[in-house]
Amino acid sequence: MTIVAAAATAALLAGCDETMMTQEPASMVTRAPATMVVDPGFEAQLNAFRAQNGLQPATPNAQLAAAAQLHAEDMQRQGYFDHVSRDGRTYTQRLAAQGYRSCWPTENLAWGQRSAAQAVVEWAGSPGHRRNMMLQGRVEYGLGQAGNIYVLELARVC
């Protein structure tokens, strides 16, 4: 990877974590369909990374997936790339809108990768994203994808 490509990739990856969830006003609650599509290549790559680091596998969660999918679609539709939605909501507010409660939610974003599995590889090479994927304990995840925008919500179950 060239220096320019590496810099561009780094600019298109974003990772965040928070320790507290905030309540969202009922007027801002948006629900996604209850169905969830699990990308087997992604899940295998994520859990191989976790196993290499002595961690138990992450398991899919429909509420996390709904929040991730809605955010990916919103970013694609409105042409932005950020942890904060255009309406000002943070990922913890988007998770709360789906009814998900956790003591340690995190979010990774990627844009431009060929697949969600490739996003995992690139996240693993970025300290903040890597830390998010290395949550200790029982961990659940939700993956959202819209075009080549990927949103990964991870949370430790308390």
Side-chain angles (χ1 to χ4, degrees), residues 64-83 85 89 91 94 107-111 142-153:
L64 291 173
Q69 185 62 39
L70 286 169
H71 189 50
E73 291 172 3
D74 186 57
M75 286 190 292
Q76 182 184 48
R77 183 177 49 255
Q78 295 195 54
Y80 72 99
F81 184 75
D82 200 333
H83 291 288
S85 301
R89 293 183 305 156
Y91 68 91
R94 292 188 300 270
E107 178 175 84
N108 284 356
L109 304 178
W111 179 18
L143 174 67
Q145 178 182 354
N148 63 354
I149 296 173
Y150 302 92
V151 177
L152 172 61
E153 305 292 356

Short mmCIF file of all heavy atoms in Angstrom, two decimals, residues 64-83 85 89 91 94 107-111 142-153:
data_model
loop_
_atom_site.label_atom_id
_atom_site.label_comp_id
_atom_site.label_asym_id
_atom_site.label_seq_id
_atom_site.Cartn_x
_atom_site.Cartn_y
_atom_site.Cartn_z
N LEU A 64 -28.26 -4.32 17.64
CA LEU A 64 -27.02 -3.66 17.20
C LEU A 64 -26.97 -3.58 15.67
O LEU A 64 -26.56 -2.57 15.11
CB LEU A 64 -25.80 -4.40 17.75
CG LEU A 64 -25.57 -4.32 19.25
CD1 LEU A 64 -24.42 -5.24 19.66
CD2 LEU A 64 -25.30 -2.90 19.70
N ALA A 65 -27.40 -4.66 15.02
CA ALA A 65 -27.40 -4.68 13.55
C ALA A 65 -28.37 -3.65 12.98
O ALA A 65 -28.06 -2.97 11.99
CB ALA A 65 -27.76 -6.07 13.04
N ALA A 66 -29.52 -3.49 13.62
CA ALA A 66 -30.49 -2.49 13.15
C ALA A 66 -29.91 -1.09 13.25
O ALA A 66 -30.01 -0.29 12.31
CB ALA A 66 -31.79 -2.60 13.95
N ALA A 67 -29.28 -0.77 14.38
CA ALA A 67 -28.68 0.55 14.56
C ALA A 67 -27.57 0.77 13.54
O ALA A 67 -27.46 1.84 12.93
CB ALA A 67 -28.13 0.69 15.98
N ALA A 68 -26.74 -0.26 13.32
CA ALA A 68 -25.64 -0.15 12.35
C ALA A 68 -26.16 0.04 10.93
O ALA A 68 -25.66 0.89 10.18
CB ALA A 68 -24.75 -1.39 12.43
N GLN A 69 -27.17 -0.73 10.57
CA GLN A 69 -27.71 -0.66 9.21
C GLN A 69 -28.36 0.70 8.94
O GLN A 69 -28.15 1.30 7.89
CB GLN A 69 -28.72 -1.78 8.96
CG GLN A 69 -29.21 -1.85 7.54
CD GLN A 69 -28.09 -2.13 6.54
OE1 GLN A 69 -27.20 -2.92 6.81
NE2 GLN A 69 -28.14 -1.47 5.40
N LEU A 70 -29.13 1.17 9.89
CA LEU A 70 -29.78 2.48 9.71
C LEU A 70 -28.75 3.60 9.57
O LEU A 70 -28.91 4.50 8.76
CB LEU A 70 -30.72 2.77 10.89
CG LEU A 70 -32.02 1.99 10.88
CD1 LEU A 70 -32.75 2.16 12.22
CD2 LEU A 70 -32.90 2.42 9.73
N HIS A 71 -27.66 3.52 10.33
CA HIS A 71 -26.64 4.56 10.25
C HIS A 71 -25.89 4.48 8.91
O HIS A 71 -25.63 5.51 8.28
CB HIS A 71 -25.67 4.48 11.42
CG HIS A 71 -24.73 5.64 11.50
ND1 HIS A 71 -25.16 6.95 11.44
CD2 HIS A 71 -23.39 5.70 11.60
CE1 HIS A 71 -24.12 7.76 11.51
NE2 HIS A 71 -23.03 7.02 11.61
N ALA A 72 -25.57 3.27 8.47
CA ALA A 72 -24.90 3.11 7.17
C ALA A 72 -25.77 3.68 6.05
O ALA A 72 -25.29 4.42 5.18
CB ALA A 72 -24.58 1.64 6.92
N GLU A 73 -27.04 3.34 6.07
CA GLU A 73 -27.97 3.84 5.04
C GLU A 73 -28.10 5.36 5.10
O GLU A 73 -28.15 6.03 4.06
CB GLU A 73 -29.33 3.18 5.19
CG GLU A 73 -29.31 1.70 4.83
CD GLU A 73 -30.60 0.98 5.17
OE1 GLU A 73 -31.58 1.63 5.64
OE2 GLU A 73 -30.65 -0.25 4.98
N ASP A 74 -28.16 5.91 6.31
CA ASP A 74 -28.28 7.36 6.46
C ASP A 74 -27.05 8.06 5.92
O ASP A 74 -27.17 9.07 5.20
CB ASP A 74 -28.50 7.70 7.94
CG ASP A 74 -28.78 9.17 8.16
OD1 ASP A 74 -29.75 9.70 7.56
OD2 ASP A 74 -28.03 9.80 8.93
N MET A 75 -25.86 7.54 6.23
CA MET A 75 -24.63 8.16 5.72
C MET A 75 -24.58 8.11 4.19
O MET A 75 -24.22 9.09 3.55
CB MET A 75 -23.39 7.50 6.32
CG MET A 75 -23.14 7.87 7.76
SD MET A 75 -21.53 7.32 8.39
CE MET A 75 -21.75 5.54 8.41
N GLN A 76 -24.98 6.97 3.63
CA GLN A 76 -24.96 6.86 2.17
C GLN A 76 -25.98 7.81 1.53
O GLN A 76 -25.67 8.53 0.59
CB GLN A 76 -25.24 5.42 1.73
CG GLN A 76 -25.17 5.27 0.22
CD GLN A 76 -25.54 3.88 -0.23
OE1 GLN A 76 -26.56 3.34 0.20
NE2 GLN A 76 -24.72 3.31 -1.10
N ARG A 77 -27.17 7.82 2.08
CA ARG A 77 -28.25 8.65 1.53
C ARG A 77 -27.93 10.14 1.61
O ARG A 77 -28.17 10.89 0.67
CB ARG A 77 -29.56 8.33 2.27
CG ARG A 77 -30.78 9.06 1.77
CD ARG A 77 -32.08 8.65 2.49
NE ARG A 77 -31.97 8.67 3.95
CZ ARG A 77 -31.87 7.58 4.72
NH1 ARG A 77 -31.85 6.37 4.19
NH2 ARG A 77 -31.78 7.69 6.03
N GLN A 78 -27.34 10.57 2.73
CA GLN A 78 -27.08 11.99 2.94
C GLN A 78 -25.65 12.42 2.59
O GLN A 78 -25.32 13.59 2.72
CB GLN A 78 -27.40 12.37 4.39
CG GLN A 78 -28.89 12.22 4.71
CD GLN A 78 -29.24 12.93 5.98
OE1 GLN A 78 -28.97 14.12 6.13
NE2 GLN A 78 -29.84 12.20 6.92
N GLY A 79 -24.81 11.47 2.18
CA GLY A 79 -23.47 11.81 1.73
C GLY A 79 -22.52 12.33 2.79
O GLY A 79 -21.84 13.33 2.59
N TYR A 80 -22.46 11.65 3.92
CA TYR A 80 -21.51 12.03 4.97
C TYR A 80 -20.89 10.78 5.56
O TYR A 80 -21.31 9.66 5.27
CB TYR A 80 -22.17 12.89 6.05
CG TYR A 80 -23.12 12.14 6.97
CD1 TYR A 80 -22.70 11.72 8.23
CD2 TYR A 80 -24.43 11.87 6.59
CE1 TYR A 80 -23.58 11.04 9.08
CE2 TYR A 80 -25.30 11.20 7.42
CZ TYR A 80 -24.87 10.78 8.67
OH TYR A 80 -25.71 10.11 9.50
N PHE A 81 -19.87 10.95 6.40
CA PHE A 81 -19.17 9.84 7.04
C PHE A 81 -18.75 10.31 8.42
O PHE A 81 -17.78 11.07 8.57
CB PHE A 81 -17.95 9.45 6.20
CG PHE A 81 -17.21 8.25 6.71
CD1 PHE A 81 -17.72 6.98 6.55
CD2 PHE A 81 -15.98 8.41 7.34
CE1 PHE A 81 -17.03 5.87 7.01
CE2 PHE A 81 -15.28 7.30 7.80
CZ PHE A 81 -15.80 6.03 7.63
N ASP A 82 -19.49 9.91 9.46
CA ASP A 82 -19.24 10.43 10.80
C ASP A 82 -19.95 9.57 11.83
O ASP A 82 -20.96 8.93 11.53
CB ASP A 82 -19.77 11.87 10.89
CG ASP A 82 -19.16 12.68 12.02
OD1 ASP A 82 -18.73 12.10 13.04
OD2 ASP A 82 -19.13 13.90 11.89
N HIS A 83 -19.45 9.59 13.05
CA HIS A 83 -20.12 8.90 14.16
C HIS A 83 -21.37 9.65 14.60
O HIS A 83 -22.26 9.05 15.20
CB HIS A 83 -19.17 8.74 15.35
CG HIS A 83 -18.07 7.78 15.10
ND1 HIS A 83 -18.24 6.43 15.04
CD2 HIS A 83 -16.76 7.99 14.86
CE1 HIS A 83 -17.10 5.83 14.80
NE2 HIS A 83 -16.17 6.76 14.68
N SER A 85 -24.75 11.48 13.57
CA SER A 85 -25.70 11.60 12.47
C SER A 85 -25.95 13.06 12.14
O SER A 85 -25.74 13.94 12.97
CB SER A 85 -27.04 10.94 12.85
OG SER A 85 -26.86 9.58 13.16
N ARG A 89 -27.53 12.89 16.44
CA ARG A 89 -27.51 11.72 17.33
C ARG A 89 -26.15 11.02 17.31
O ARG A 89 -25.54 10.87 16.26
CB ARG A 89 -28.60 10.72 16.93
CG ARG A 89 -30.00 11.25 17.18
CD ARG A 89 -31.06 10.24 16.86
NE ARG A 89 -30.91 9.76 15.49
CZ ARG A 89 -31.36 8.59 15.05
NH1 ARG A 89 -31.99 7.78 15.88
NH2 ARG A 89 -31.20 8.23 13.81
N TYR A 91 -23.85 7.46 18.33
CA TYR A 91 -24.15 6.03 18.20
C TYR A 91 -24.80 5.47 19.46
O TYR A 91 -25.63 4.57 19.38
CB TYR A 91 -22.93 5.22 17.77
CG TYR A 91 -21.83 5.12 18.78
CD1 TYR A 91 -21.78 4.08 19.69
CD2 TYR A 91 -20.82 6.07 18.82
CE1 TYR A 91 -20.76 3.99 20.60
CE2 TYR A 91 -19.80 5.98 19.72
CZ TYR A 91 -19.77 4.94 20.61
OH TYR A 91 -18.76 4.85 21.52
N ARG A 94 -28.36 6.11 18.98
CA ARG A 94 -28.93 5.22 17.96
C ARG A 94 -29.13 3.81 18.52
O ARG A 94 -30.11 3.14 18.20
CB ARG A 94 -28.04 5.20 16.71
CG ARG A 94 -28.05 6.53 15.96
CD ARG A 94 -27.34 6.46 14.63
NE ARG A 94 -25.94 6.08 14.71
CZ ARG A 94 -24.93 6.93 14.85
NH1 ARG A 94 -25.16 8.24 14.92
NH2 ARG A 94 -23.68 6.49 14.90
N GLU A 107 -18.17 1.82 18.36
CA GLU A 107 -18.56 1.86 16.95
C GLU A 107 -17.31 2.03 16.09
O GLU A 107 -16.47 2.88 16.38
CB GLU A 107 -19.51 3.03 16.71
CG GLU A 107 -19.92 3.18 15.25
CD GLU A 107 -20.95 4.27 15.06
OE1 GLU A 107 -20.56 5.45 14.94
OE2 GLU A 107 -22.16 3.93 15.05
N ASN A 108 -17.20 1.22 15.05
CA ASN A 108 -16.18 1.39 14.02
C ASN A 108 -16.88 1.70 12.71
O ASN A 108 -17.90 1.09 12.39
CB ASN A 108 -15.35 0.11 13.83
CG ASN A 108 -14.33 -0.12 14.92
OD1 ASN A 108 -14.16 0.70 15.81
ND2 ASN A 108 -13.66 -1.24 14.86
N LEU A 109 -16.31 2.62 11.95
CA LEU A 109 -16.81 2.96 10.62
C LEU A 109 -15.72 2.71 9.59
O LEU A 109 -14.54 2.90 9.88
CB LEU A 109 -17.20 4.44 10.54
CG LEU A 109 -18.20 4.99 11.54
CD1 LEU A 109 -18.38 6.48 11.31
CD2 LEU A 109 -19.51 4.25 11.46
N ALA A 110 -16.11 2.31 8.40
CA ALA A 110 -15.17 2.17 7.29
C ALA A 110 -15.89 2.58 6.01
O ALA A 110 -17.10 2.41 5.89
CB ALA A 110 -14.65 0.74 7.18
N TRP A 111 -15.11 3.06 5.08
CA TRP A 111 -15.67 3.52 3.80
C TRP A 111 -14.68 3.20 2.70
O TRP A 111 -13.52 3.57 2.78
CB TRP A 111 -15.92 5.02 3.88
CG TRP A 111 -16.48 5.67 2.65
CD1 TRP A 111 -17.10 5.08 1.59
CD2 TRP A 111 -16.47 7.06 2.37
NE1 TRP A 111 -17.48 6.01 0.68
CE2 TRP A 111 -17.10 7.26 1.13
CE3 TRP A 111 -15.98 8.16 3.05
CZ2 TRP A 111 -17.25 8.50 0.56
CZ3 TRP A 111 -16.14 9.41 2.47
CH2 TRP A 111 -16.78 9.57 1.24
N GLY A 142 -23.19 -5.90 15.79
CA GLY A 142 -24.14 -5.67 14.70
C GLY A 142 -23.38 -5.02 13.56
O GLY A 142 -22.57 -4.12 13.79
N LEU A 143 -23.60 -5.49 12.36
CA LEU A 143 -22.93 -4.97 11.18
C LEU A 143 -23.96 -4.33 10.27
O LEU A 143 -25.01 -4.92 10.00
CB LEU A 143 -22.21 -6.09 10.43
CG LEU A 143 -21.57 -5.71 9.10
CD1 LEU A 143 -20.41 -4.75 9.31
CD2 LEU A 143 -21.12 -6.96 8.35
N GLY A 144 -23.65 -3.15 9.78
CA GLY A 144 -24.48 -2.48 8.79
C GLY A 144 -23.65 -2.17 7.56
O GLY A 144 -22.47 -1.88 7.68
N GLN A 145 -24.27 -2.27 6.40
CA GLN A 145 -23.57 -1.96 5.16
C GLN A 145 -24.53 -1.28 4.19
O GLN A 145 -25.64 -1.75 3.97
CB GLN A 145 -23.01 -3.22 4.51
CG GLN A 145 -22.32 -2.93 3.19
CD GLN A 145 -21.80 -4.19 2.52
OE1 GLN A 145 -21.84 -5.28 3.08
NE2 GLN A 145 -21.30 -4.04 1.31
N ALA A 146 -24.07 -0.19 3.59
CA ALA A 146 -24.79 0.49 2.53
C ALA A 146 -23.75 0.85 1.49
O ALA A 146 -22.88 1.69 1.76
CB ALA A 146 -25.52 1.72 3.05
N GLY A 147 -23.79 0.20 0.34
CA GLY A 147 -22.75 0.41 -0.66
C GLY A 147 -21.42 -0.02 -0.08
O GLY A 147 -21.29 -1.13 0.44
N ASN A 148 -20.43 0.87 -0.10
CA ASN A 148 -19.13 0.53 0.48
C ASN A 148 -18.88 1.27 1.81
O ASN A 148 -17.75 1.55 2.17
CB ASN A 148 -18.00 0.80 -0.52
CG ASN A 148 -17.88 2.26 -0.89
OD1 ASN A 148 -18.70 3.09 -0.50
ND2 ASN A 148 -16.86 2.60 -1.64
N ILE A 149 -19.96 1.53 2.53
CA ILE A 149 -19.87 2.09 3.89
C ILE A 149 -20.23 0.96 4.86
O ILE A 149 -21.26 0.30 4.70
CB ILE A 149 -20.84 3.27 4.08
CG1 ILE A 149 -20.45 4.43 3.16
CG2 ILE A 149 -20.86 3.72 5.54
CD1 ILE A 149 -21.43 5.58 3.17
N TYR A 150 -19.38 0.77 5.85
CA TYR A 150 -19.58 -0.29 6.83
C TYR A 150 -19.64 0.32 8.22
O TYR A 150 -18.83 1.18 8.57
CB TYR A 150 -18.41 -1.31 6.78
CG TYR A 150 -18.26 -1.91 5.41
CD1 TYR A 150 -17.41 -1.33 4.47
CD2 TYR A 150 -19.00 -3.01 5.03
CE1 TYR A 150 -17.27 -1.86 3.21
CE2 TYR A 150 -18.88 -3.54 3.75
CZ TYR A 150 -18.01 -2.97 2.85
OH TYR A 150 -17.90 -3.48 1.59
N VAL A 151 -20.59 -0.16 9.02
CA VAL A 151 -20.73 0.29 10.40
C VAL A 151 -20.73 -0.97 11.28
O VAL A 151 -21.52 -1.88 11.05
CB VAL A 151 -22.06 1.07 10.62
CG1 VAL A 151 -22.21 1.45 12.10
CG2 VAL A 151 -22.10 2.30 9.73
N LEU A 152 -19.84 -0.99 12.25
CA LEU A 152 -19.77 -2.09 13.20
C LEU A 152 -20.07 -1.54 14.59
O LEU A 152 -19.38 -0.65 15.07
CB LEU A 152 -18.36 -2.72 13.18
CG LEU A 152 -18.09 -3.78 14.27
CD1 LEU A 152 -19.04 -4.97 14.15
CD2 LEU A 152 -16.63 -4.22 14.20
N GLU A 153 -21.11 -2.08 15.19
CA GLU A 153 -21.45 -1.76 16.58
C GLU A 153 -21.03 -2.98 17.40
O GLU A 153 -21.40 -4.11 17.07
CB GLU A 153 -22.94 -1.52 16.76
CG GLU A 153 -23.55 -0.47 15.86
CD GLU A 153 -23.12 0.96 16.14
OE1 GLU A 153 -22.37 1.18 17.11
OE2 GLU A 153 -23.52 1.84 15.38
#
